[in-house]
């Protein structure tokens, strides 16, 4: 199929939609973005709550290409590592990387979305707010029907093709699936989350260490806290949906308070509006979305959460979605005359990577919430550190490959598996690192792991 005019229609102007709009407008496409919500620059965002996100190298790369990294980074808070808060009240910082060049950044989602919308408009993209996609039909191109939730009106738009950036509950996905089943599978995690807030101290002071991602690991559940530029922290409690304790058994602020007094003793006093936060904020659901296909020949394509929503435990949902946007903008720019091929090629390149980060995100929940690791795990971790130091270009911790590099997620997963097998083999039956033959280990590393550039 040929497009005479390079016009692009996006559904959803969230994080991925707004970045993609910028990248495509910069490449000379005429971009229309239809967004369900009102313009966040007029209404304020997130109902006044400050919700933050961790930005890592993959997401930062997308922002750099959009020319936005300087503006956005001025508002970001550096997180050097994981601050682990044990039950007895003591805390330790475990650095994520080698030094301050390997860190992650906490950002306000609302501010980031506004910066992205501004950048897209500057590049020439056109936003249509208060346009909720209701249905889409596919014939010669696609006909999109929108509802304005503010005044009840409906609107129709015809386009050669539509790009779905409308998030985990994508309406475009539902419409595509009606036309041709996409093989959708949603796997619930069985755990939910609730947000709470540690306010800033007077004079913008931080109540706990500012430059860290805080974790209170408690076995089957945990709390985390990410810093906001204003001095507050957004706390998230992750807890099973059923069983004891769970969101089914802990339903009132009083029950939650008793639970925190027992399990998060040092955290509770930092949350002055605990009862109101717990009663007022909803329980969020956590699930992984798998699809057999992301596109309908050359007429519709899904990306970001609409194609591959994942659990949050690697902090990579947005980062992965930004990689999608970059990959698609480059593909469309080079192959705008054969959309069916372009969409299939996008899916071919991105789906193995989306599947790899989905798996790694699930695995990182266990890693984060298990504070009392067993002896075997501790020995392997110590050995891993030693090998990373001896072979900095070959043996790279999987967390680092995911967070500080842009190597394909599938490759990070595969190299991680080789490294893990190596550690298990070398540490098997050993109880101290001194018992392990490091010269033999060096030979195995050189044999099994090619050097990275
Ligand atoms: P969204 O950002 O959800 O945007 C979808 C957009 O489409 C929205 O603007 C929505 O209003 C609009 N829309 C929806 N339906 C329609 C419709 N029918 N018609 C028109 N418009 C529609 N990722 C990270 O990388 N790091 C983190 O630390 C991190 N933390 C997170 C914390 C929380 C609380 C949550 C919920 C997620 C977090 N994520 C994080 C994941 C990240 O938010 C998502 O992966 C990312 O926002 C996906 O971008 P998206 O544009 O695909 O979807
Ligand atoms: N998402 C994150 C990490 C990894 C931290 C580590 C984990 C909250 C709903 Cl749970 C989580 C990480 O391994 O030490 N980096 O960034 C962000 C996370 O959760 C976000 C804030 C979240 C969805 C609620």
């Amino acid at each position: 199929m040929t497009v005479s005019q390079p016009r692009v229609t996006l559904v959803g102007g969230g994080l991925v939609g707004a970045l993609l709009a910028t990248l495509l407008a910069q490449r000379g496409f005429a971009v229309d973005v239809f967004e369900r919500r009102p313009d966040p620059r007029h209404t304020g965002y997130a109902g006044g709550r400050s919700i933050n996100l961790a930005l890592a190298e993959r997401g930062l790369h997308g922002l750099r290409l959009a020319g936005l990294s300087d503006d956005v980074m001025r508002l970001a808070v550096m997180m050097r590592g994981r601050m682990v808060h044990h039950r007895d009240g003591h805390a330790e910082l475990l650095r994520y990387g080698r030094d301050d060049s390997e860190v992650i950044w906490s950002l306000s989602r609302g501010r980031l979305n506004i910066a992205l919308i501004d950048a897209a408009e500057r590049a020439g993209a056109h936003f249509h707010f208060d346009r909720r996609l209701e249905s889409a039909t596919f014939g010669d191109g696609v006909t999109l029907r929108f509802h304005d939730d503010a005044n009840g009106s409906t609107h129709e738009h015809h386009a050669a093709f539509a790009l779905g950036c409308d998030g985990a509950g994508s309406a475009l996905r539902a419409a595509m699936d009606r036309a041709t089943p996409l093989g959708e599978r949603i796997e619930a995690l069985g755990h939910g989350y609730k947000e709470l807030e540690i306010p800033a101290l007077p004079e913008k002071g931080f109540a706990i260490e500012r430059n860290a991602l805080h974790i209170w690991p408690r076995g089957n559940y945990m709390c985390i806290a990410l810093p906001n530029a204003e001095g507050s922290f957004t706390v998230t409690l992750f807890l099973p949906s059923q069983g004891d304790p769970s969101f089914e058994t802990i339903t009132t602020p009083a029950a939650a308070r008793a639970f925190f007094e027992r399990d998060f003793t040092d955290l509770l006093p930092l949350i002055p509006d605990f009862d109101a936060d717990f009663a007022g904020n909803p329980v969020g659901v956590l699930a992984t979305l798998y699809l057999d296909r992301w596109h309908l020949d050359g007429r519709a394509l899904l990306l970001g959460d609409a194609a591959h929503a994942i659990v949050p435990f690697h902090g990579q949902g947005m980062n992965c979605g930004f990689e999608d946007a970059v990959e698609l903008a480059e593909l469309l720019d080079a192959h705008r005359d054969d959309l069916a091929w372009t969409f299939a090629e996008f899916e071919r390149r991105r789906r193995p990577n989306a599947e790899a980060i989905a798996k790694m995100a699930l695995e990182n929940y266990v890693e984060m919430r298990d504070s009392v690791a067993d002896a075997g795990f501790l020995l392997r971790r110590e050995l891993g550190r030693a090998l990373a130091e001896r072979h900095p270009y070959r043996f790279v911790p999987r967390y680092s490959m995911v967070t500080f590099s842009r190597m394909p997620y599938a490759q990070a997963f595969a190299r991680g598996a080789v490294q893990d097998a190596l550690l298990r083999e070398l540490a098997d039956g050993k109880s101290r690192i001194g018992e392990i033959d490091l010269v033999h280990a060096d030979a195995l590393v050189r044999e099994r792991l090619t050097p990275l550039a």
Side-chain angles (χ1 to χ4, degrees), residues 188-210:
L189 178 67
H191 292 226
Y193 69 93
K194 192 178 284 267
E195 283 149 357
L196 308 163
E197 196 192 60
I198 301 176
L201 296 177
E203 312 295 332
K204 279 197 177 187
F206 287 76
I208 47 178
E209 165 60 40
R210 172 182 211 250

Side-chain angles (χ1 to χ4, degrees), residues 11-18 34-37 51-56 109 113 131-134 146 164-172 193 195 226 236 303-306 310 312 314-322:
V11 180
L15 300 179
V16 173
F34 294 88
E35 165 57 44
R36 171 177 66 184
R37 292 172 304 183
I51 301 296
N52 46 30
L53 292 152
L55 175 74
R109 172 194 293 270
N113 206 167
R131 292 289 179 275
R132 176 170 56 80
L133 182 72
E134 250 181 355
F146 297 99
C165 312
D166 48 345
S170 172
L172 187 64
Y193 69 93
E195 283 149 357
L226 272 69
T236 310
L303 63 159
D305 279 14
I310 61 175
H314 225 305
Q316 286 288 317
M318 164 188 62
N319 287 281
C320 176
F322 280 8

Side-chain angles (χ1 to χ4, degrees), residues 215-226:
I215 310 181
W216 289 261
R218 297 296 182 261
N220 202 27
Y221 45 94
M222 66 177 184
C223 281
I224 65 166
L226 272 69

Side-chain angles (χ1 to χ4, degrees), residues 332-388:
L332 267 178
D333 197 16
H335 306 279
R336 54 181 81 176
D337 53 343
D338 189 350
L339 291 174
W341 180 87
T342 301
F343 292 178
E345 178 65 9
F346 174 79
E347 182 187 316
R348 191 190 67 78
R349 292 189 191 179
R350 291 301 296 165
R351 209 148 60 94
N353 293 314
E355 279 167 11
I357 189 57
K359 249 188 284 187
M360 294 189 284
L362 282 162
E363 289 174 7
N364 211 46
Y365 190 20
V366 180
E367 155 101 26
M368 287 181 79
R369 68 192 197 202
D370 264 357
S371 56
V372 274
D374 63 87
F377 173 84
L378 292 174
L379 177 59
R380 289 195 297 277
R381 192 171 72 181
E382 190 184 357
L383 178 60
R385 286 207 191 111
L387 295 182

